Amino acid sequence: MNPSQPNEPISEPTVDPVSEPATTPESNPEAPKPQRNNPLHGVTLEKILKYLVAEYGWEELGERINIHCFNYDPSIKSSLKFLRKTEWARAKVERLYVNSISYDERHRGRELKQREAKPIPPNVWGQPRPE
């Protein structure tokens, strides 16, 4: 600034928002990619474990995945501690969860189709069909 000139505010250079490229996940390689086909996306290990315990119970869960923390004095807290440290055990638990939810989804679809099934119409001559 020149001391002879009065104090004028310094203006920031303006950027035309139209000419500025939009930031999209494709243009930014560091941005996280959406995981549409990942059934474990957004599901915590605690939610997985609670679902499996509700679905199978500790005894059957211990039979399906032979882990000490499922068979002897089982609890959510001790199981979470073990599963967070042991990758192979966590992989087995996650695989069982994915198989369980896909099984539930397949059977839920069948139940909905059966509920929506229309009653059998009478035959051509207006007589009810024999059952």
Side-chain angles (χ1 to χ4, degrees), residues 13-106:
T14 59
V15 177
D16 184 15
V18 176
S19 64
E20 193 69 26
T23 306
T24 61
E26 295 83 23
S27 65
N28 186 0
E30 296 174 5
K33 296 180 181 178
Q35 298 185 6
R36 294 182 196 132
N37 295 328
N38 184 356
L40 297 174
H41 182 68
V43 182
T44 64
L45 185 58
E46 184 175 7
K47 287 181 185 178
I48 292 172
L49 193 56
K50 286 182 178 181
Y51 173 85
L52 292 175
V53 170
E55 184 76 15
Y56 301 110
W58 287 110
E59 188 174 325
E60 188 176 344
L61 191 58
E63 290 174 5
R64 288 177 178 259
I65 304 172
N66 191 13
I67 300 175
H68 189 273
C69 63
F70 290 168
N71 293 319
Y72 303 101
D73 195 26
S75 72
I76 297 287
K77 185 177 179 181
S78 67
S79 299
L80 286 173
K81 187 175 181 180
F82 177 76
L83 293 171
R84 287 182 178 132
K85 292 180 181 179
T86 314
E87 189 63 33
W88 64 265
R90 181 179 181 144
K92 286 186 175 190
V93 168
E94 288 174 347
R95 191 176 321 117
L96 178 61
Y97 173 76
V98 169
N99 291 339
S100 297
I101 60 172
S102 63
Y103 177 83
D104 289 346
E105 288 173 357
R106 286 193 310 264

